[in-house]
Amino acid sequence: MAEFPNLDPEFADAVASLPDLDLSDIAAARALQETVTQPLIANLSYEGVDVREVSAPGLGDAPDVPIRLLTPEGAAGPLPVLVALHGGGFVLGNAQEFDYLCLDVVRELGVAVANVEYRLAPENPFPGPLDDCYAALRYVYTKGSDLGLDPSRIAIGGSSAGGALAAGTALKARDTGEVPLVFQLLISPALDDRLGSPSSLELLNTPVAQRRNGLLAWQSYLGTEYAGPTDPQVSIYAAPARAVDLSGLPPTYIAAMELDPVRDEAFEFALKMLRAGVSVELHSYPGTFHGCIELAPAAEVSIRAQREIIGALGRGLRVPVAAR
């Protein structure tokens, strides 16, 4: 791993213990990631939070989409809800790994979280994962009242590849007009398959995120027909940075990490939305790396970032201050 003078010293131990994931062997990468994430999951506390497993009908002939529905224990609805999408480069991870954020959202805001178990690439390339996310969003909207949710206060959010899926799902919801979103939350979103931003070209081997894996992740997600960065057929729902028109999207909060190849994609997407008339709050956290909030949660900047992310979500969901 290269040396990064700007890396926050509190991250030194976490970075030194990170395994070297190689997405050229996805089965091995999945097994190796589990050695990192399983202890983190085992340390999560679910005190005060109810967890239900529900399923959304898949789009078309697709299978049902499992959803982990987290709500405050004993809460009376209807509750505002975040539809949450985990990261993992489109090929790794599962919904429970995103509970590190979802649990704090439930406890601190008193809202619900629908944490989506979307299908992974390369076994299920685009549009499979995006369809699962949209199916989950539509289910939360159409069946929300039955689940104790408030269909008038739905946000969507995700981290890394989950940020790409959240942004793509928000674009699809805008275009279909089926689900009104009140907020969008993007954490270190991977938005552009072309990987041509300055940070993508300069930060080649940062903690967690390396250019070689970024290229492999997009190839896995976009499938065997993908012709690379110049491919004109890539859908804006797959790579939201390719969208020309970002008007009509919900107010958005974006968290970007300094030492992250996808950092500048977040900056450019924020500016593009602002110019299209979308309200955007953008934070760039110094000394941070991709995934640091999950992997080094005790660092001061990780604590601050998560607190500000949850605060922005509360404002977006119109949660009264007294309820926070």
Side-chain angles (χ1 to χ4, degrees):
M1 181 67 65
E3 295 294 327
F4 297 99
N6 287 2
L7 184 69
D8 189 305
E10 286 195 85
F11 292 138
D13 290 344
V15 168
S17 65
L18 289 173
D20 185 16
L21 293 176
D22 182 358
L23 294 189
S24 65
D25 185 339
I26 289 174
R30 287 172 178 168
L32 188 56
Q33 172 162 304
E34 282 193 16
T35 67
V36 175
T37 58
Q38 287 307 307
L40 297 174
I41 290 173
N43 287 329
L44 292 174
S45 168
Y46 287 83
E47 183 178 357
V49 178
D50 287 329
V51 182
R52 281 186 287 166
E53 300 287 343
V54 299
S55 296
L59 297 188
D61 295 329
D64 289 353
V65 182
I67 301 172
R68 293 171 56 80
L69 184 62
L70 284 68
T71 56
E73 198 171 70
L79 298 172
V81 57
L82 168 68
V83 176
L85 308 174
H86 70 83
F90 307 107
V91 300
L92 305 174
N94 59 64
Q96 192 175 12
E97 291 175 10
F98 205 24
D99 278 358
Y100 76 88
L101 176 64
C102 299
L103 287 165
D104 281 354
V105 167
V106 173
R107 291 193 185 104
E108 295 188 27
L109 298 181
V111 304
V113 176
N115 193 2
V116 181
E117 195 75 81
Y118 59 84
R119 290 170 292 167
L120 298 177
E123 298 89 342
N124 300 282
F126 179 83
L130 189 285
D131 284 350
D132 288 353
C133 297
Y134 188 75
L137 174 64
R138 192 166 65 177
Y139 175 75
V140 166
Y141 179 64
T142 58
K143 300 297 183 182
S145 298
D146 298 337
L147 298 169
L149 308 177
D150 182 351
S152 72
R153 286 191 287 173
I154 300 175
I156 193 162
S159 176
S160 188
L165 290 163
T169 303
L171 282 167
K172 186 167 183 176
R174 178 201 67 178
D175 293 345
T176 63
E178 290 184 312
V179 182
L181 290 168
V182 298
F183 195 69
Q184 178 176 220
L185 172 65
L186 306 178
I187 304 169
S188 303
L191 300 165
D192 197 341
D193 67 291
R194 296 165 295 188
L195 301 181
S197 71
S199 61
S200 183
L201 295 171
E202 295 166 7
L203 300 173
L204 304 179
N205 193 33
T206 55
V208 177
Q210 299 87 39
R211 184 173 180 83
R212 72 175 191 277
N213 281 338
L215 293 166
L216 290 167
W218 279 109
Q219 181 68 67
S220 294
Y221 181 44
L222 295 176
T224 56
E225 301 300 316
Y226 175 55
T230 61
D231 190 337
Q233 301 303 315
V234 175
S235 170
I236 63 170
Y237 305 140
R242 288 181 176 250
V244 174
D245 178 14
L246 296 181
S247 63
L249 290 172
T252 299
Y253 180 96
I254 300 180
M257 307 303 153
E258 180 181 359
L259 301 172
D260 188 348
V262 301
R263 179 196 68 203
D264 291 355
E265 296 171 23
F267 294 170
E268 292 164 6
F269 200 66
L271 285 171
K272 202 170 179 181
M273 281 193 290
L274 281 167
R275 291 167 182 153
V278 178
S279 291
V280 179
E281 184 173 354
L282 170 67
H283 280 228
S284 176
Y285 290 96
T288 53
F289 64 93
H290 196 90
C292 64
I293 299 175
E294 177 183 10
L295 298 172
E300 185 278 333
V301 69
S302 294
I303 295 170
R304 177 161 58 90
Q306 181 141 318
R307 182 174 63 246
E308 292 172 352
I309 287 166
I310 292 173
L313 178 62
R315 294 189 295 274
L317 284 172
R318 305 190 296 274
V319 177
V321 173
R324 293 187 223 165

